[in-house]
Amino acid sequence: MPEKEIEIEKEIKKEREIEKKNIKSIAGHIIDEKTDEKEKREPESVLDVDEHMSEKQKLSLMNKQQKREYILEYYAPKALFALVVVGIVVFLVVKHFTAESAALNILAVNTTQQESAANDKAYYEEFLSENGLDAEKEYVSISTGIGVSTDPNDAMSQDSLQLIQNKFMANAVDVFFADTDLVMSFGEFGYMQDLDKVLTDELKGKYKDSFVYATVIETGEKIPVGIKIGDNSWVKDTGWYEMDVAVGFGENAKNMDLALEFLEYISRE
């Protein structure tokens, strides 16, 4: 073999040995090792970093562009989520401290005039103010528009009765306005307060001749459960009723003290 060819063959073998040093095989798959230290350190993608590394280690392997991508991909959603959580917490706290609460619950059944100023919260601001309450934070809850007929076959009326009963049982009735027969009927089923036990002596003396009595089915006791107030000036101003109307208090009234103040308020001449 000519000397020149021998030299060429030696060079080829030398290059092959160098290539072998830069190639590893794992499970039969050849992996090319990078000889450039910078290329060896930097991942090709932000997704190529070892997930078990610390954040500091991950960032140390990246160039500036990869760091920006990593921050946008991994940190921005977390920061956004944190901002949303903080926003919700702030909203709930503000709502808690600024939300209005019902100071008194009034239920008026079988009203004849649906469009009435008395259906508006603002109508009771003077009453609340007189009793030391802030009308911006507390209000009088008004429920009207519920109709109940005397026809036992009236399905809608039965649904209304069920709704009224649910309100009484849920302690959502402090003051109850209705026609005399309906007040007496609810008194018979134990939904109304005994006025002898809750009224002041002054109010008893004023209204004793206007009491609506009911015999409670469960106990057999006859008690005053309502007051006929068809000629009351406040009731006339509301337009809710013409003449046949009585007022009483729910047996489970949550705001009984203020309910009595309300009766005092509408009883003024």
Side-chain angles (χ1 to χ4, degrees):
M1 181 179 296
E3 185 175 342
K4 188 175 181 179
E5 291 182 3
I6 294 173
E7 289 296 328
I8 292 172
E9 187 174 344
K10 286 181 179 181
E11 289 294 330
I12 293 172
K13 287 181 179 181
K14 187 176 180 181
E15 288 178 1
R16 287 178 179 174
E17 288 176 359
I18 292 173
E19 288 177 358
K20 286 181 181 180
K21 289 179 180 180
N22 293 329
I23 296 176
K24 285 185 177 180
S25 175
I26 298 178
H29 298 282
I30 297 175
I31 300 174
D32 186 12
E33 283 193 338
K34 296 177 181 178
T35 56
D36 187 275
E37 186 65 23
K38 185 177 179 180
E39 289 183 353
K40 190 175 181 180
R41 284 176 56 81
E42 291 183 359
E44 292 182 1
S45 166
V46 295
L47 299 176
D48 292 338
V49 294
D50 191 334
E51 64 179 3
H52 299 294
M53 289 182 180
S54 68
E55 302 301 318
K56 185 176 180 180
Q57 290 174 322
K58 292 177 183 179
L59 291 172
S60 68
L61 295 176
M62 301 177 191
N63 58 33
K64 291 182 180 180
Q65 179 61 32
Q66 290 172 333
K67 286 177 181 178
R68 284 194 292 268
E69 293 176 3
Y70 186 79
I71 289 172
L72 288 174
E73 184 169 352
Y74 289 94
Y75 288 98
K78 294 178 182 178
L80 181 61
F81 176 76
L83 287 173
V84 170
V85 171
V86 170
I88 292 173
V89 171
V90 170
F91 170 77
L92 292 176
V93 169
V94 171
K95 184 177 180 181
H96 173 74
F97 286 103
T98 60
E100 294 180 305
S101 60
L104 187 69
N105 298 294
I106 297 177
L107 174 60
V109 178
N110 286 341
T111 55
T112 57
Q113 182 175 325
Q114 301 304 318
E115 297 299 325
S116 170
N119 295 351
D120 190 3
K121 294 178 183 178
Y123 196 75
Y124 304 88
E125 289 181 359
E126 180 185 9
F127 165 71
L128 292 172
S129 179
E130 286 186 8
N131 287 277
L133 300 171
D134 187 347
E136 292 185 358
K137 295 181 179 179
E138 297 182 277
Y139 66 96
V140 174
S141 173
I142 310 296
S143 293
T144 62
I146 302 175
V148 178
S149 74
T150 56
D151 182 359
N153 297 317
D154 186 344
M156 185 174 294
S157 181
Q158 293 301 314
D159 291 340
S160 296
L161 279 171
Q162 184 64 54
L163 175 60
I164 296 169
Q165 287 176 316
N166 289 341
K167 284 181 173 290
F168 273 108
M169 290 187 291
N171 307 341
V173 180
D174 297 317
V175 181
F176 182 58
F177 289 98
D179 49 272
T180 304
D181 287 343
L182 192 59
V183 170
M184 182 176 64
S185 178
F186 275 98
E188 290 174 346
F189 285 93
Y191 289 113
M192 307 297 294
Q193 290 270 9
D194 181 348
L195 298 183
D196 274 336
K197 295 180 180 179
V198 297
L199 292 188
T200 63
D201 290 338
E202 182 182 352
L203 287 173
K204 285 180 185 178
K206 183 171 184 175
Y207 288 116
K208 64 180 181 179
D209 295 331
S210 302
F211 281 166
V212 176
Y213 288 87
T215 301
V216 182
I217 295 173
E218 186 176 355
T219 64
E221 183 182 7
K222 188 175 183 179
I223 61 174
V225 295
I227 303 169
K228 296 177 183 179
I229 54 171
D231 57 352
N232 180 275
S233 59
W234 186 91
V235 174
K236 288 180 179 178
D237 288 342
T238 66
W240 282 347
Y241 302 94
E242 293 178 358
M243 283 301 294
D244 182 22
V245 56
V247 64
F249 308 102
E251 172 62 23
N252 298 315
K254 292 190 296 185
N255 306 294
M256 194 61 207
D257 289 342
L258 195 59
L260 289 171
E261 291 293 340
F262 183 72
L263 180 60
E264 294 265 13
Y265 177 75
I266 68 173
S267 297
R268 296 172 187 171
E269 296 297 337

